[in-house]
């Protein structure tokens, strides 16, 4: 039976930050499930950088069905967790079922990969205090307020937590996450 990985996300997640780890982990032989507030077709977005804009722009992205609702997730069935960014984390951090899932992964010290705005979720369950992390650079004050040591670099590994700034850093993010994952939960 393949080792399972959980991705937690919702509408307005960044398309690349969901699909890159989803496909890369499946390529490695892991079984990957996507959980959201409910079982439905999720609508992702594309964040891009365009000349003349002070921040990224947002366009409609891909759609994809959620495999599970957060209330259906048993964290004990999963070896690791992936938290994509986009706008989804800003509202998902208020979901009580998701906070239980996040807390279970951190309490068990299982590998967690977070990117972009994803650390807003781990901050919401007080799992960044005293840790080294990176995130989308505009979140530096949020990471510091959560008690983290913010580092503006492609990927930061702090124990079983692997964080990254945004989709341009995918190769470094997944390379580091796979090292942590292979050591603690190799694909079967």
């Amino acid at each position: 039976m393949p080792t399972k990985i959980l991705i937690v996300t919702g509408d307005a997640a960044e398309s690349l930050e969901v699909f890159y780890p989803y496909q890369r982990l499946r390529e490695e032989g892991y079984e990957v499930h996507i959980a959201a507030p409910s079982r439905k077709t999720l609508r992702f977005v594309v964040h891009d950088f365009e000349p003349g804009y002070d921040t990224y722009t947002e366009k409609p992205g891909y759609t994809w069905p959620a495999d599970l609702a957060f209330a259906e997730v048993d964290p004990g069935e999963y070896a690791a967790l992936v938290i994509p960014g986009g706008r989804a984390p800003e509202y998902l951090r208020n979901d009580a079922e998701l906070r239980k899932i996040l807390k279970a992964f951190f309490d068990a010290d299982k590998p967690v990969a977070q990117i972009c705005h994803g650390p807003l979720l781990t901050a919401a369950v007080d799992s960044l205090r005293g840790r080294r992390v990176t995130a989308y650079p505009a979140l530096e004050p949020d990471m510091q307020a959560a008690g983290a040591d913010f580092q503006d670099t492609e990927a930061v590994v702090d124990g079983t937590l692997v964080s990254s700034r945004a989709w341009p850093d995918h190769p470094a993010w997944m390379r580091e996450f796979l090292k942590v994952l292979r050591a603690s939960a190799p694909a079967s």
Side-chain angles (χ1 to χ4, degrees):
M1 179 181 277
T3 303
K4 294 182 190 177
I5 309 295
L6 182 66
I7 296 177
V8 292
T9 195
D11 288 328
E14 163 55 51
S15 293
L16 288 173
E17 293 171 4
V18 175
F19 288 120
Y20 182 80
Y22 178 80
Q23 292 172 334
R24 184 66 188 92
L25 292 166
R26 290 186 66 210
E27 179 184 29
E28 285 288 317
Y30 292 97
E31 182 177 334
V32 183
H33 295 161
I34 296 176
S38 64
R39 282 187 191 230
K40 69 173 205 162
T41 298
L42 298 167
R43 297 179 179 278
F44 301 139
V45 298
V46 173
H47 288 149
D48 208 351
F49 304 93
E50 297 182 27
Y53 281 76
D54 291 331
T55 188
Y56 54 84
T57 61
E58 182 174 288
K59 297 168 184 66
Y62 295 104
T63 60
W64 196 261
D67 299 305
L68 302 160
F70 294 147
E72 298 173 301
V73 172
D74 174 359
E77 292 183 13
Y78 296 92
L81 178 67
V82 176
I83 307 169
R87 280 187 301 112
E90 76 184 41
Y91 71 88
L92 290 176
R93 62 187 163 176
N94 296 311
D95 188 296
E97 291 297 326
L98 177 55
R99 288 195 307 269
K100 288 180 202 171
I101 294 167
L102 296 167
K103 186 155 176 29
F105 276 91
F106 280 97
D107 287 351
D109 199 31
K110 292 182 180 182
V112 174
Q114 60 184 10
I115 189 166
C116 195
H117 285 70
L120 291 174
L121 295 177
T122 51
V125 294
D126 198 31
S127 293
L128 298 182
R129 191 165 310 285
R131 299 189 91 148
R132 292 176 299 108
V133 300
T134 194
Y136 188 70
L139 268 60
E140 181 176 359
D142 301 276
M143 298 300 96
Q144 291 169 339
D149 173 16
F150 179 83
Q151 299 178 0
D152 188 4
T153 188
E154 286 183 319
V156 173
V157 179
D158 187 310
T160 57
L161 177 64
V162 181
S163 55
S164 192
R165 295 177 297 197
W167 60 260
D169 297 333
H170 276 163
W173 182 50
M174 276 293 110
R175 183 172 40 253
E176 295 302 324
F177 184 58
L178 284 167
K179 286 179 193 175
V180 170
L181 196 52
R182 288 177 185 134
S184 68
S188 21

